Amino acid sequence: MLLALGILALLFALSRCNREDTAAVAPAPTATPTEVVAATPNAGSADALVGTSGLGTYLAGTEPLPRTFTFEKLNFDTAKSNIRPADAAEVNEVAATLKQYPNARIRIAGYADARGTDAANMALGKARADSVKSALVAQGINAGRIETVSGGETNPVDTNATAGGRFENRRTELVVTAR
């Protein structure tokens, strides 16, 4: 019996010899202009500042660029990109601060939770960033000072396994790129 098992094992091993196993590697996807992955330094790290209340102090200071600020009171409903009335105050505060620092340039990165396809989440993240940009422009900020990008469902700040975690992941971040 052991001899038969040994012969079977030997035959199996020999059948695998000289066999070329090649794995197909998909090419890396190239980003289209509406699908630019957000280059948000400090995202998800201790260096990102929660809330935008310190934005003015940072813009007046000399700390190195870039700096990421997470909107503390700006999240989005599922599959939506409109700013809810309850969340507009923080955007208004950012606009007021940017008016005081007319040379400042920012990047707004929009994110989605992990529900939906990658493509849909990339588009939704971009729509969220564009929504924040539109609100800032409506407050008198020059559109040329604001870049928007999508982070899709990358860099979650909370779990996607709970409703509360998904809510936190439907967010935008502000990155100061120039003073």
Side-chain angles (χ1 to χ4, degrees):
M1 181 74 129
L2 290 175
L3 181 61
L5 286 175
I7 292 173
L8 282 174
L10 181 62
L11 288 174
F12 178 75
L14 288 174
S15 71
R16 308 281 299 166
C17 289
N18 295 327
R19 183 176 165 187
E20 292 183 29
D21 288 334
T22 58
V25 177
T30 56
T32 63
T34 60
E35 296 180 333
V36 177
V37 174
T40 54
N42 308 323
S45 75
D47 292 335
L49 300 178
V50 176
T52 55
S53 61
L55 179 61
T57 303
Y58 175 75
L59 290 173
T62 59
E63 289 182 57
L65 289 167
R67 168 63 81 183
T68 300
F69 294 83
T70 60
F71 282 88
E72 187 173 20
K73 299 173 187 153
L74 177 61
N75 292 87
F76 296 87
D77 291 328
T78 302
K80 304 279 187 201
S81 61
N82 57 309
I83 296 174
R84 302 173 311 170
D87 297 337
E90 189 172 14
V91 176
N92 296 341
E93 291 170 15
V94 167
T97 301
L98 290 175
K99 285 177 185 177
Q100 294 175 5
Y101 298 92
N103 294 326
R105 294 183 159 284
I106 62 170
R107 176 183 308 121
I108 303 292
Y111 292 90
D113 61 34
R115 294 181 292 179
T117 65
D118 288 343
N121 287 336
M122 288 299 290
L124 185 56
K126 181 74 163 105
R128 289 174 175 163
D130 289 340
S131 180
V132 173
K133 178 179 180 175
S134 293
L136 292 171
V137 169
Q139 295 279 331
I141 304 303
N142 181 329
R145 297 172 56 194
I146 307 168
E147 172 190 3
T148 60
V149 296
S150 176
E153 62 188 64
T154 63
N155 297 323
V157 293
D158 207 333
T159 180
N160 278 298
T162 66
R166 289 187 298 271
F167 177 77
E168 292 300 321
N169 291 332
R170 296 189 300 265
R171 71 192 192 282
T172 53
E173 295 176 343
L174 180 151
V175 181
V176 177
T177 59
R179 287 197 180 102

Short mmCIF file of all heavy atoms in Angstrom, two decimals, residues 49-58 69-70 72-73 90 93-94 97:
data_model
loop_
_atom_site.label_atom_id
_atom_site.label_comp_id
_atom_site.label_asym_id
_atom_site.label_seq_id
_atom_site.Cartn_x
_atom_site.Cartn_y
_atom_site.Cartn_z
N LEU A 49 -4.84 66.47 10.18
CA LEU A 49 -5.53 67.21 11.24
C LEU A 49 -7.03 67.01 11.10
O LEU A 49 -7.59 67.23 10.03
CB LEU A 49 -5.18 68.69 11.17
CG LEU A 49 -3.70 69.02 11.33
CD1 LEU A 49 -3.47 70.51 11.19
CD2 LEU A 49 -3.18 68.52 12.66
N VAL A 50 -7.67 66.59 12.17
CA VAL A 50 -9.11 66.39 12.17
C VAL A 50 -9.78 67.74 12.31
O VAL A 50 -9.48 68.50 13.22
CB VAL A 50 -9.55 65.43 13.30
CG1 VAL A 50 -11.06 65.32 13.34
CG2 VAL A 50 -8.91 64.07 13.11
N GLY A 51 -10.67 68.03 11.40
CA GLY A 51 -11.35 69.31 11.40
C GLY A 51 -10.54 70.35 10.65
O GLY A 51 -9.35 70.20 10.44
N THR A 52 -11.22 71.39 10.24
CA THR A 52 -10.56 72.44 9.48
C THR A 52 -10.39 73.72 10.29
O THR A 52 -9.96 74.73 9.75
CB THR A 52 -11.37 72.74 8.20
OG1 THR A 52 -12.71 73.06 8.58
CG2 THR A 52 -11.36 71.56 7.25
N SER A 53 -10.69 73.68 11.58
CA SER A 53 -10.61 74.89 12.40
C SER A 53 -9.17 75.41 12.51
O SER A 53 -8.97 76.59 12.73
CB SER A 53 -11.18 74.64 13.79
OG SER A 53 -10.46 73.62 14.44
N GLY A 54 -8.18 74.58 12.32
CA GLY A 54 -6.78 75.01 12.38
C GLY A 54 -6.22 75.45 11.05
O GLY A 54 -5.03 75.75 10.94
N LEU A 55 -7.05 75.53 10.02
CA LEU A 55 -6.58 75.87 8.68
C LEU A 55 -5.94 77.26 8.65
O LEU A 55 -4.86 77.44 8.10
CB LEU A 55 -7.73 75.78 7.68
CG LEU A 55 -7.41 76.13 6.23
CD1 LEU A 55 -6.35 75.19 5.67
CD2 LEU A 55 -8.68 76.06 5.38
N GLY A 56 -6.58 78.25 9.26
CA GLY A 56 -6.05 79.61 9.25
C GLY A 56 -4.71 79.70 9.95
O GLY A 56 -3.78 80.36 9.46
N THR A 57 -4.57 79.04 11.07
CA THR A 57 -3.31 79.03 11.81
C THR A 57 -2.22 78.40 10.97
O THR A 57 -1.09 78.91 10.91
CB THR A 57 -3.47 78.27 13.14
OG1 THR A 57 -4.53 78.87 13.89
CG2 THR A 57 -2.19 78.27 13.95
N TYR A 58 -2.54 77.31 10.29
CA TYR A 58 -1.56 76.65 9.43
C TYR A 58 -1.15 77.56 8.28
O TYR A 58 0.04 77.70 7.97
CB TYR A 58 -2.10 75.32 8.91
CG TYR A 58 -1.18 74.68 7.92
CD1 TYR A 58 -0.02 74.05 8.35
CD2 TYR A 58 -1.43 74.74 6.56
CE1 TYR A 58 0.87 73.48 7.45
CE2 TYR A 58 -0.56 74.17 5.65
CZ TYR A 58 0.59 73.55 6.09
OH TYR A 58 1.47 73.00 5.20
N PHE A 69 -6.09 68.20 5.96
CA PHE A 69 -7.13 68.46 6.96
C PHE A 69 -8.34 67.62 6.59
O PHE A 69 -8.75 67.60 5.43
CB PHE A 69 -7.55 69.94 6.96
CG PHE A 69 -6.48 70.88 7.40
CD1 PHE A 69 -5.51 71.31 6.51
CD2 PHE A 69 -6.44 71.33 8.71
CE1 PHE A 69 -4.51 72.19 6.92
CE2 PHE A 69 -5.45 72.21 9.13
CZ PHE A 69 -4.48 72.64 8.23
N THR A 70 -8.89 66.91 7.54
CA THR A 70 -10.13 66.18 7.27
C THR A 70 -11.30 67.04 7.71
O THR A 70 -11.24 67.68 8.76
CB THR A 70 -10.17 64.83 8.03
OG1 THR A 70 -10.08 65.10 9.43
CG2 THR A 70 -9.05 63.91 7.60
N GLU A 72 -14.37 67.67 9.52
CA GLU A 72 -14.93 66.99 10.68
C GLU A 72 -16.44 66.83 10.58
O GLU A 72 -17.01 65.84 11.01
CB GLU A 72 -14.57 67.75 11.95
CG GLU A 72 -14.97 67.03 13.21
CD GLU A 72 -14.45 67.73 14.45
OE1 GLU A 72 -14.11 68.92 14.39
OE2 GLU A 72 -14.38 67.07 15.48
N LYS A 73 -17.10 67.81 10.01
CA LYS A 73 -18.56 67.81 9.97
C LYS A 73 -19.09 67.76 8.55
O LYS A 73 -20.13 68.33 8.25
CB LYS A 73 -19.08 69.06 10.68
CG LYS A 73 -18.68 69.12 12.13
CD LYS A 73 -19.05 70.42 12.75
CE LYS A 73 -18.47 70.48 14.15
NZ LYS A 73 -18.22 71.82 14.59
N GLU A 90 -19.16 74.12 7.92
CA GLU A 90 -17.72 73.92 7.87
C GLU A 90 -17.15 74.37 6.53
O GLU A 90 -16.06 74.96 6.46
CB GLU A 90 -17.34 72.46 8.15
CG GLU A 90 -15.86 72.26 8.33
CD GLU A 90 -15.48 70.87 8.80
OE1 GLU A 90 -16.31 69.94 8.75
OE2 GLU A 90 -14.33 70.71 9.23
N GLU A 93 -16.85 78.08 6.64
CA GLU A 93 -15.69 78.50 7.43
C GLU A 93 -14.40 78.38 6.62
O GLU A 93 -13.52 79.24 6.70
CB GLU A 93 -15.59 77.66 8.70
CG GLU A 93 -16.69 77.93 9.71
CD GLU A 93 -16.71 76.92 10.86
OE1 GLU A 93 -15.71 76.18 11.03
OE2 GLU A 93 -17.72 76.88 11.57
N VAL A 94 -14.29 77.32 5.84
CA VAL A 94 -13.11 77.14 4.99
C VAL A 94 -13.05 78.27 3.96
O VAL A 94 -11.99 78.85 3.72
CB VAL A 94 -13.11 75.75 4.31
CG1 VAL A 94 -12.07 75.68 3.20
CG2 VAL A 94 -12.87 74.67 5.35
N THR A 97 -11.80 81.42 5.54
CA THR A 97 -10.36 81.33 5.79
C THR A 97 -9.58 81.52 4.49
O THR A 97 -8.58 82.24 4.45
CB THR A 97 -10.00 79.98 6.44
OG1 THR A 97 -10.72 79.86 7.67
CG2 THR A 97 -8.51 79.87 6.70
#
